[in-house]
Amino acid sequence: MRQSQARKKEEESIPAIVYKKAKARRETESVPMAAGLQMLAIETSCDETAVAVLSNGRTILSNMVASQISLHERFGGVVPEIASRRHLEVINPLLKQALEKADAGFVDISAVAVTIGPGLVGALLIGLGAAKAISYVTGLPLVGVNHIEGHLFANFLEHPDLRPPLVCLIVSGGHTSIVYMPDFGKYELVGETLDDAVGEAYDKVSNYLGLGYPGGPVLDGLAKDGDPSSIHFPRAMLHDGFDFSLSGLKTAVLNYVTRERSAGREVNVANLAASFQAAVVDVLVAKTVAAAQRFEVENVALAGGVAANSGLRAGFEAAASKTGFELFYPSPALCTDNAAMIAAAGYYRFLSGERLPLTANPDPNLRLT
Ligand code: KG4
Ligand code: ZN
């Protein structure tokens, strides 16, 4: 088909009025700035399909999350191919639901934010493909968001007073790092895990004990009934810089369980969970507090799925009242993967003039720093 014929066919297949508006927008980008700005955001980096509509970078109009946990739990972790296929199945209905809940149509939206990494490449492609399609048809500008920055921005959603400079502990299924944020859009990596991520350690321990996936919420619940000083687990690199090592702790837990079982003793899972959690929390708190002191910041934030952990929050609360820093963390639903946090990060990137071209690809290893 010749190019002009292809273009004509394309114009016919899209309702004329939408096409004309889209064409005009692509050429001029006449988008309302700041006041009344509504952001549509899409997140598909792992095993949650999520779509949100956010007004003025703060007010959540809708925040829909379709979890795939039930599909992956029998495998003890996320199966990338299954994740991509499910994203593809649910993305369109979820977009419709999110817009309906926000009482909005594409005409009310100013820009589309989408997670471009880090994450599973096949999963990221589904969200990015959907966002590109919307951008192409409607002419709305596209903004690419780093998933980790999204987690950090969940804090700004719920704490309007929070401003950089700050130190943030980012703890999820795939990431464990301490980041210094001197200003909006500026990040300095202070420390990161040399092996397993914290969420990954929770998931592996839970899997080994046959307690299911994801392990974090299960072990967190069990830890509430256990004695945290009943079993001593190692606190690797506790006073040794800002990097973490968690694989030794995970192995120590697994060895303990094997030893107890082979000696014919029953493992007290509540005590085990509480002791494991205490070891994790001690290291995360000590290093983050040291980083806050080193950068002389008053604000400390927690982000990522593991920031929902009750022991971690309690540990940081205690450190905050002892040391005097201001502590911020999102509510549990905004700690785990969601699209409202992507919209919040995308809002600032959009206002600073960033745009993602329709030719962009996802970056599964995208870094924040
Ligand atoms: O941020 P997230 O939803 O996805 C990633 O970007 O990885 O984090 C998921 C991780 C899982 O490893 C899960 O076990 C952990 O967060 N998690 C928790 C808790 N809730 C979720 N870990 C400890 N305690 C929790 N309450
Ligand atoms: Zn995440």
Side-chain angles (χ1 to χ4, degrees), residues 23-89:
K23 192 162 176 288
R25 275 219 182 117
R26 275 201 297 273
E27 279 156 14
T28 60
E29 202 184 283
S30 57
V31 171
M33 294 296 287
L37 193 153
Q38 306 214 83
M39 198 99 191
L40 174 70
I42 300 175
E43 151 65 41
T44 61
S45 67
C46 192
D47 60 342
E48 255 103 28
T49 320
V51 182
V53 179
L54 197 71
S55 174
N56 295 329
R58 282 228 201 270
T59 312
I60 298 175
L61 301 182
S62 64
N63 190 21
M64 316 296 290
V65 180
S67 171
Q68 302 183 0
I69 286 174
S70 60
L71 289 180
H72 301 283
E73 65 188 341
R74 71 191 170 105
F75 301 103
V78 178
V79 182
E81 181 62 23
I82 294 177
S84 312
R85 284 166 189 262
R86 180 46 79 102
H87 285 312
L88 192 57
E89 280 165 15

Side-chain angles (χ1 to χ4, degrees), residues 18-265:
V18 173
Y19 185 83
K20 272 185 201 144
K21 272 192 194 164
K23 192 162 176 288
R25 275 219 182 117
R26 275 201 297 273
E27 279 156 14
T28 60
E29 202 184 283
S30 57
V31 171
M33 294 296 287
L37 193 153
Q38 306 214 83
M39 198 99 191
L40 174 70
I42 300 175
E43 151 65 41
T44 61
S45 67
C46 192
D47 60 342
E48 255 103 28
T49 320
V51 182
V53 179
L54 197 71
S55 174
N56 295 329
R58 282 228 201 270
T59 312
I60 298 175
L61 301 182
S62 64
N63 190 21
M64 316 296 290
V65 180
S67 171
Q68 302 183 0
I69 286 174
S70 60
L71 289 180
H72 301 283
E73 65 188 341
R74 71 191 170 105
F75 301 103
V78 178
V79 182
E81 181 62 23
I82 294 177
S84 312
R85 284 166 189 262
R86 180 46 79 102
H87 285 312
L88 192 57
E89 280 165 15
V90 303
I91 188 71
N92 283 347
L94 207 66
L95 271 160
K96 192 163 178 279
Q97 282 172 30
L99 286 167
E100 273 171 12
K101 179 121 197 278
D103 198 17
F106 287 129
V107 70
D108 305 302
I109 303 295
S110 307
V112 182
V114 60
T115 306
I116 51 167
L120 302 169
V121 69
L124 289 162
L125 272 167
I126 306 299
L128 182 56
K132 282 182 185 176
I134 294 167
S135 171
Y136 183 74
V137 173
T138 60
L140 289 170
L142 204 55
V143 185
V145 174
N146 179 311
H147 180 81
I148 303 299
E149 186 177 41
H151 274 304
L152 197 157
F153 264 77
N155 282 289
F156 294 106
L157 270 177
E158 292 192 303
H159 306 292
D161 301 336
L162 177 60
R163 295 272 178 285
L166 59 88
V167 158
C168 184
L169 172 70
I170 299 164
V171 271
S172 71
H175 292 87
T176 298
S177 53
I178 298 175
V179 167
Y180 169 53
M181 182 182 185
D183 202 350
F184 282 109
K186 295 206 173 90
Y187 302 102
E188 198 176 303
L189 180 68
V190 183
E192 64 185 335
T193 182
L194 303 175
D195 37 58
D196 289 352
V198 187
E200 188 182 355
Y202 268 94
D203 294 339
K204 284 180 177 167
V205 167
S206 172
N207 205 13
Y208 188 72
L209 293 168
L211 296 171
Y213 171 85
V218 182
L219 293 173
D220 190 11
L222 285 166
K224 288 178 185 144
D225 299 321
D227 174 2
S229 54
S230 53
I231 312 162
H232 182 78
F233 288 124
R235 272 91 168 135
M237 300 167 69
L238 184 60
H239 301 296
D240 181 11
F242 295 109
D243 286 335
F244 304 92
S245 173
L246 288 141
S247 69
L249 170 61
K250 173 202 67 193
T251 308
V253 176
L254 303 193
N255 287 345
Y256 172 85
V257 175
T258 312
R259 220 170 33 241
E260 290 299 291
R261 281 179 181 162
S262 54
R265 287 189 290 267

